[in-house]
Amino acid sequence: MPTHYTASVSPSSSWGTPPSPQSSTLPSPTWHRHASSEDKRGFSPNAPYIPTVPLPPADSMHPVLEYNPAGRPRLTFDVSLPPQHITFAPHPRAPPVSPADPAHYPPTQRLVLALPRWLPKEWAHALNCPAGVTLGVVLAGVHALLRTPVCAAEFAGFARAAQEGAAEAFRARAARAGGAGHGRELEGGVRRVDFLGARTRFVGLVRTRVPGVWEVCLAAPPSC
């Protein structure tokens, strides 16, 4: 009968404990000899378990950024408020979220944000980052994209109902800023975010038919 060998670490050693300063080598394994069978494939019960982590599918967004219509967003992001109000919901089976996380897999240096089809397609915005587009870059990009002031020609291109709705949202946004912020918002004029109506909650990005272009998905806050 053929013989198989497997290695296991001595109980006095641990893969998670670094070797002592006097030693620069890993603990020596102990070899176990046993007969092969269909039920015993040569695995030792003392061998450490190393779980496998599957790679995300190609051309996919960070889970926090990926739009999931059947689930709750992994973050709270009202695009009418400053970025410091963004919060992340913890996930029991996911590592902590960091703004430095790659936004896309595989990592990319360029990503284009497109707004919903009921807004001008000229408002699309390209994010270029030689070190790789990160989660923080995308969230800051979404906020900056929607905080851009609307020029007179752009405003005139909307229907009257949309103009009136944006003007009302502008006044409400300025009043909500309060104090010195109220004056700054009035001075800044109507911005793109004012044309969103109640849909000021960022809920993710969805792939478009154009490679590298992702549409910003927006919804009304739960209270609306």
Side-chain angles (χ1 to χ4, degrees), residues 131-155:
V133 179
T134 64
L135 173 61
V137 168
V138 170
L139 295 179
V142 170
H143 183 264
L145 170 62
L146 291 169
R147 286 283 298 178
T148 302
V150 176
C151 67
E154 290 176 327
F155 189 85

Side-chain angles (χ1 to χ4, degrees), residues 38-196:
E38 291 184 359
D39 296 330
K40 295 181 179 180
R41 301 293 183 178
F43 297 110
S44 169
N46 294 325
Y49 171 69
I50 303 176
T52 58
V53 179
L55 292 174
D59 193 23
S60 62
M61 276 292 166
H62 189 291
V64 168
L65 295 173
E66 195 166 32
Y67 174 59
N68 180 10
R72 296 179 59 184
R74 293 272 304 274
L75 80 167
T76 301
F77 180 11
D78 187 328
V79 297
S80 67
L81 300 176
Q84 57 263 33
H85 291 274
I86 298 174
T87 59
F88 299 95
H91 194 282
R93 295 184 298 276
V97 175
S98 168
D101 291 344
H104 183 271
Y105 182 82
T108 181
Q109 296 178 336
R110 177 181 170 85
L111 191 147
V112 178
L113 300 175
L115 292 176
R117 299 173 186 176
W118 38 274
L119 293 172
K121 63 180 180 179
E122 293 80 14
W123 286 0
H125 178 63
L127 303 174
N128 296 287
C129 189
V133 179
T134 64
L135 173 61
V137 168
V138 170
L139 295 179
V142 170
H143 183 264
L145 170 62
L146 291 169
R147 286 283 298 178
T148 302
V150 176
C151 67
E154 290 176 327
F155 189 85
F158 284 90
R160 179 176 294 276
Q163 293 176 350
E164 293 175 350
E168 182 179 351
F170 160 61
R171 290 190 292 268
R173 177 170 55 80
R176 189 168 63 239
H182 180 261
R184 287 194 299 268
E185 293 298 340
L186 288 177
E187 186 177 341
V190 174
R191 300 178 186 272
R192 292 172 178 175
V193 67
D194 297 320
F195 283 93
L196 301 182

Side-chain angles (χ1 to χ4, degrees), residues 15-43:
W15 289 105
T17 304
S20 62
Q22 292 79 13
S23 173
S24 60
T25 59
L26 290 173
S28 300
T30 301
W31 294 94
H32 301 274
R33 183 179 184 275
H34 54 81
S36 64
S37 67
E38 291 184 359
D39 296 330
K40 295 181 179 180
R41 301 293 183 178
F43 297 110

